[in-house]
């Protein structure tokens, strides 16, 4: 567009802008026609459809549902597109509301929920001197003076999607109301167990009851919000003055809300009660489990969701973590795990063996449980007996037999494997090899004709051999029983709805990361943007990165008392192993993730 045309377009926008008042769908339709977004025929069709009648529905929402297509581009003009266009047309700041970055408690202090609903506004940031308010009526500013007088802060407005404003107005004010109700009912007592109170547990004052209506509402909201945000973990963390609620979404922690310590302690008690845990005991770690369903209005509503509970005494009270195991994501098909075709074929060949030990390695949260459960579910046919010994059982899976470790009665991994071998198993899964006794029992199971799966915490596949040797397993037994090691990581995947091409010279960058391997074929890198679908993070979901080492006869020759791990790695590469970083580079080339994600989640070859 030429400078002259740009000035003409800007002047036309200024002339068309209303001085004051609410938006009107006819005016929006005229502006779309002026800007060349729609034809006169489209405008007449919408007028005929609406019949010239007004509606209580917001004009942006009404036009967004009219099925308009942008002239010359073909994209659908929905409510989100209309909101962005309106902000750009009148040189206003546009905002996608990110609920994870809004201090809900402070927002609710700015105005009442009725005030917000009537004026289609929602405070999103409250600073020392300024309040940022999202609005879907940017030309209705009569309320600004009232809010500035009430808060004694200046008001800055930003334009946001009216659907987002309506949704988050309900969520934010409902949560704030529940927290305040819970806090009010608990006034006069302190549930904040500081370091000294942990020692003298029985001398605390009156506490907020776990069954109070406000506490019940806050906990219900917490779970619904976590499911809606696709959280994998919920953290309740006590602090000196305020408790912090955090969600782990796609592997990254986000602070969601801060609540008074009286409320957080009551929330913890409520969750412990539902998880059949000892509510009184706060001096030692406890474990529990809750099964619930996704509520109405959340994607996958009605599906059962299991949550594993864990508490830990800290200086200011009990810290609780709820790990969410959604059957839709925790157990996949083997094909859905994200293996490349090369590694997928090798993994299928490996798990088809009749006996031996297969190890899955990686740090906590790298997806080992998903890989093992998905693999075992595939193998658990009517013809085989699959048994597991776990600590704890991550989630109940009807396809195979699961046993819980009970350390209080001397039922550890080694004892569990010994008992399982009398149960006529074909396949055994040991939750983790932590000591020599467990390793020896796993080896005995493999030597007697069983296929054994287990996990180790190592950085890469070859280091698993070193770890077993450090536990005291003789190299000849490692060589005789271990048939493969799978190291894995999880990297966030780009949101398919909003990712955009990255103009970086992709081939040169990826070639440098992938050295000494060479890339072939077309490469196009993408970058995150952020939209409603991905909650404005630019990422949605995670993909597995795998490094699969099979112990071929040539590789076994390198497993001896004085073996060199570098020699073992290089032999594994000759046998077809692809390092984690190379696996990540291939995902980048496919447009699934970013270079930063791969570098963050995988060790480099030199680090090994």
């Amino acid at each position: 567009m030429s400078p002259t045309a740009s000035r003409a377009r800007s002047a036309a926008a200024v002339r068309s802008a209303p001085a004051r008042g609410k938006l009107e769908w006819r005016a929006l339709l005229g502006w779309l026609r002026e800007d060349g977004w729609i034809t006169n025929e489209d405008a007449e069709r919408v007028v005929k459809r609406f019949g010239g009648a007004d509606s209580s529905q917001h004009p942006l929402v009404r036009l967004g549902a009219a099925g308009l297509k942008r002239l010359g581009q073909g994209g659908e003009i929905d409510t989100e597109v209309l909101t962005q266009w309106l902000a750009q047309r009148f040189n206003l700041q546009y905002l996608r509301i990110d609920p994870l970055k809004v201090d809900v408690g402070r927002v609710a202090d700015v105005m009442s929920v009725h005030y917000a609903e009537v004026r289609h506004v929602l405070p999103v940031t409250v600073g020392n001197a300024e309040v940022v308010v999202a609005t879907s009526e940017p030309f209705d500013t009569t309320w600004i003076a009232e809010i500035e007088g009430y808060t004694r802060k200046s008001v800055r407005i930003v334009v946001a999607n009216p659907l987002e404003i309506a949704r988050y107005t309900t969520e934010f004010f409902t949560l704030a109301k529940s927290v305040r109700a819970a806090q009010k009912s608990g006034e006069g007592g302190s549930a904040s167990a500081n370091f000294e109170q942990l020692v003298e547990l029985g001398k605390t004052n009156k506490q907020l009851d776990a069954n109070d209506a406000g506490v019940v509402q806050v906990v219900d909201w917490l779970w619904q919000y976590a499911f809606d945000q696709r959280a994998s973990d919920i953290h309740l963390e006590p602090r000196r003055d305020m408790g912090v609620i955090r969600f782990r979404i796609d592997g990254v922690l986000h602070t969601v809300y801060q609540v008074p310590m009286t409320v957080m302690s009551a929330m913890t008690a409520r969750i412990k009660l539902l998880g059949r845990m000892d509510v009184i005991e706060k001096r030692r770690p406890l474990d529990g489990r809750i099964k619930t369903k996704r509520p109405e209005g959340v994607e996958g509503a009605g599906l059962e969701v299991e949550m594993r509970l864990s508490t830990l005494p800290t200086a200011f009270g009990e810290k609780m973590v709820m790990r969410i195991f959604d059957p839709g994501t925790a157990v996949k098909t083997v094909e859905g795990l994200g293996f490349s075709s090369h590694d997928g074929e090798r993994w299928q060949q490996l798990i088809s063996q009749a006996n031996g030990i297969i190890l899955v390695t990686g740090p906590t949260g790298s997806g080992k449980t998903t890989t093992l459960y998905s693999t075992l579910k595939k193998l658990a046919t009517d013809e085989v007996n699959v048994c597991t010994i776990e600590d704890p059982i991550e989630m109940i899976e009807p396809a195979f037999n699961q046993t819980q470790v009970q350390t209080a009665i001397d039922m550890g991994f080694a004892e569990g494997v010994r008992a399982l071998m009398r149960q006529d198993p074909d396949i055994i899964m040991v939750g983790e090899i932590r000591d020599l006794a467990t390793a020896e029992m796993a080896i005995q199971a493999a030597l007697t004709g069983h296929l054994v799966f287990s996990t180790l915490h190592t950085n890469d596949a070859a280091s698993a051999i070193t770890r077993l040797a450090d536990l005291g397993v003789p190299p000849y037994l490692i060589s005789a029983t271990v048939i493969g090691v799978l190291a894995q990581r999880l990297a966030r995947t780009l949101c398919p709805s909003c990712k955009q091409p990255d103009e970086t010279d992709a081939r040169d960058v990826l070639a440098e990361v992938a050295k000494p391997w060479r890339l072939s074929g077309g490469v196009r890198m993408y970058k995150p943007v952020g939209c409603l679908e991905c909650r404005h993070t630019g990422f949605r979901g995670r993909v597995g990165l795998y490094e699969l080492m099979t112990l071929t006869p040539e590789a076994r020759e390198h497993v001896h008392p004085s073996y060199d791990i570098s020699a073992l790695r290089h032999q594994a590469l000759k046998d077809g192993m692809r390092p984690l970083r190379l696996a990540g580079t291939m995902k980048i080339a496919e447009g699934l993730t970013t270079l930063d994600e791969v570098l963050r989640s995988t060790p480099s070859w030199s680090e090994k």
Side-chain angles (χ1 to χ4, degrees):
M1 183 181 292
S2 67
T4 303
S6 178
R7 285 193 296 271
R9 164 69 180 78
S10 178
V14 172
R15 287 195 300 271
S16 300
R20 177 173 294 184
K22 292 184 177 295
L23 292 172
E24 203 269 335
W25 66 268
R26 296 179 188 82
L28 290 172
L29 207 59
W31 295 336
L32 285 170
R33 189 169 50 189
E34 286 179 17
D35 293 352
W37 277 51
I38 60 175
T39 63
N40 292 333
E41 290 75 15
D42 289 333
E44 292 172 1
R45 177 176 58 82
V46 172
V47 171
K48 184 177 181 180
R49 173 180 172 181
F50 291 166
D54 291 324
S55 171
S56 59
Q57 196 175 33
H58 193 282
L60 290 172
V61 177
R62 197 177 191 196
L63 283 183
L68 291 169
K69 301 288 185 180
R70 186 171 177 181
L71 185 63
Q73 297 190 14
E76 184 177 352
I77 305 176
D78 58 14
T79 304
E80 179 68 15
V81 172
L82 282 172
T83 306
Q84 294 183 37
W85 159 78
L86 182 68
Q88 184 177 10
R89 188 180 206 274
F90 296 109
N91 198 27
L92 300 169
Q93 183 179 350
Y94 167 78
L95 176 72
R96 285 191 178 99
I97 301 175
D98 185 351
L100 299 178
K101 296 180 180 178
V102 176
D103 187 340
V104 178
R106 299 193 69 184
V107 160
D109 290 333
V110 174
M111 62 182 67
S112 68
V113 62
H114 177 72
Y115 193 99
E117 289 175 341
V118 169
R119 290 159 179 79
H120 301 285
V121 298
L122 178 65
V124 291
T125 304
V126 182
N128 294 329
E130 182 185 64
V131 179
V132 179
V133 181
T135 178
S136 58
E137 294 287 355
F139 307 117
D140 179 14
T141 58
T142 55
W143 54 271
I144 292 181
E146 297 176 0
I147 298 300
E148 288 182 335
Y150 173 70
T151 61
R152 296 186 179 180
K153 304 175 190 288
S154 63
V155 171
R156 176 164 61 90
I157 65 170
V158 292
V159 180
N161 187 326
L163 296 174
E164 282 193 358
I165 291 178
R167 171 191 173 186
Y168 291 126
T169 296
T170 302
E171 287 189 8
F172 292 170
F173 283 93
T174 299
L175 172 61
K177 181 179 178 181
S178 298
V179 171
R180 286 171 179 169
Q183 186 179 11
K184 185 176 181 181
S185 63
E187 286 177 355
S190 174
S192 176
N194 59 28
F195 190 74
E196 292 80 10
Q197 287 173 325
L198 287 172
V199 179
E200 302 182 53
L201 184 63
K203 299 180 180 180
T204 55
N205 297 325
K206 176 187 174 184
Q207 297 185 5
L208 179 60
D209 193 275
N211 292 316
D212 285 346
V215 176
V216 173
Q217 290 175 1
V218 172
V219 172
D220 288 346
W221 170 86
L222 179 69
W223 289 344
Q224 178 176 345
Y225 197 36
F227 299 151
D228 187 43
Q229 296 294 323
R230 303 179 290 105
S232 60
D233 303 82
I234 306 172
H235 292 243
L236 305 185
E237 302 178 352
R239 299 288 191 267
R240 184 182 299 277
D241 300 316
M242 298 286 285
V244 178
I245 300 175
R246 298 201 288 173
F247 291 169
R248 187 178 296 279
I249 302 173
D250 293 335
V252 179
L253 277 172
H254 301 265
T255 298
V256 176
Y257 196 54
Q258 293 188 2
V259 298
M261 280 303 302
T262 52
V263 177
M264 173 156 287
S265 184
M267 291 172 64
T268 302
R270 169 75 180 168
I271 296 167
K272 288 173 68 175
L273 191 65
L274 295 174
R276 298 180 181 179
M277 302 163 69
D278 188 346
V279 179
I280 303 300
E281 180 59 75
K282 301 180 182 180
R283 300 166 297 178
R284 62 185 179 88
L286 299 173
D287 292 311
R289 186 183 300 276
I290 291 177
K291 179 177 285 188
T292 184
K293 288 186 177 181
R294 289 176 175 268
E296 294 299 326
V298 175
E299 184 180 351
L303 296 179
E304 284 191 344
V305 177
E306 288 194 17
M307 289 186 287
R308 199 184 78 195
L309 314 179
S310 174
T311 65
L312 182 71
T314 67
F316 299 107
E318 280 187 290
K319 178 182 184 293
M320 171 168 279
V321 175
M322 290 164 273
R323 301 201 69 185
I324 301 171
F325 292 94
D326 186 341
T329 57
V331 179
K332 305 175 182 290
T333 62
V334 172
E335 293 75 18
L337 289 173
F339 283 109
S340 65
S341 58
H342 172 76
D343 285 335
E345 292 175 2
R346 298 174 68 231
W347 181 248
Q348 291 285 2
Q349 293 173 2
L350 194 62
I351 64 177
S352 299
Q353 300 296 315
N355 57 74
I357 297 177
I358 299 174
L359 298 172
V360 180
T361 76
T364 301
S366 60
K368 299 187 298 296
T369 298
T370 298
T371 298
L372 286 173
Y373 272 49
S374 302
T375 301
L376 290 177
K377 189 170 183 179
K378 177 182 178 65
L379 298 176
T381 62
D382 292 338
E383 291 79 23
V384 298
N385 177 19
V386 179
C387 299
T388 74
I389 177 74
E390 304 174 62
D391 182 25
I393 296 174
E394 300 284 6
M395 65 176 295
I396 305 300
E397 176 51 60
F400 40 85
N401 308 290
Q402 297 170 279
T403 303
Q404 169 76 52
V405 165
Q406 302 284 351
T407 54
I409 56 174
D410 295 327
M411 171 65 173
F413 281 118
E415 293 78 11
V417 175
R418 185 180 291 110
L420 288 181
M421 289 177 66
R422 304 190 191 103
Q423 292 286 311
D424 185 33
D426 297 292
I427 299 171
I428 297 174
M429 193 272 275
V430 184
E432 182 182 352
I433 295 179
R434 299 174 180 172
D435 50 41
L436 179 58
T438 305
E440 288 177 339
M441 290 308 305
I443 287 171
Q444 288 300 318
L447 289 173
T448 52
H450 303 91
L451 183 62
V452 180
F453 291 86
S454 191
T455 67
L456 283 175
H457 290 286
T458 62
N459 284 332
D460 66 340
S463 297
I465 306 302
T466 304
R467 176 62 176 151
L468 289 175
D470 290 342
L471 289 176
V473 180
Y476 74 91
L477 287 178
I478 299 176
S479 177
T481 56
V482 177
I483 60 175
V485 183
L486 178 71
Q488 67 178 77
R489 297 290 192 278
L490 290 176
R492 293 186 294 173
T493 52
L494 287 162
C495 175
S497 300
C498 65
K499 68 179 183 180
Q500 292 182 358
D502 192 340
E503 301 305 325
T504 307
D505 190 351
R507 177 165 292 280
D508 290 344
V509 173
L510 292 186
E512 186 66 26
V513 175
K515 282 183 178 179
W517 293 270
R518 295 180 180 179
L519 296 176
S520 60
V523 175
R524 190 174 189 184
M525 294 173 65
Y526 289 83
K527 61 183 178 181
V529 179
C531 66
L532 288 173
E533 292 294 322
C534 62
R535 304 294 188 267
H536 318 300
T537 63
F539 296 93
R540 184 176 177 85
R542 290 186 287 178
V543 65
L545 307 179
Y546 301 98
E547 175 181 286
L548 180 56
M549 179 181 75
T550 56
L551 266 74
T552 60
E554 293 77 13
R556 296 182 193 279
E557 294 179 1
H558 295 279
V559 182
H560 50 76
S562 58
Y563 83 98
D564 181 0
I565 191 172
S566 297
L568 177 61
R569 287 195 185 108
H570 284 92
Q571 181 59 52
L573 292 173
K574 294 179 182 178
D575 295 334
M577 182 182 80
R578 292 177 175 175
L580 285 166
R581 186 150 291 184
L582 180 60
T585 304
M586 295 172 65
K587 298 298 183 185
I588 298 171
E590 294 172 16
L592 293 177
T593 188
T594 66
L595 179 60
D596 289 340
E597 269 298 299
V598 171
L599 295 179
R600 179 187 65 83
S601 58
T602 62
S604 69
W605 183 250
S606 61
E607 289 170 350
K608 297 178 183 180

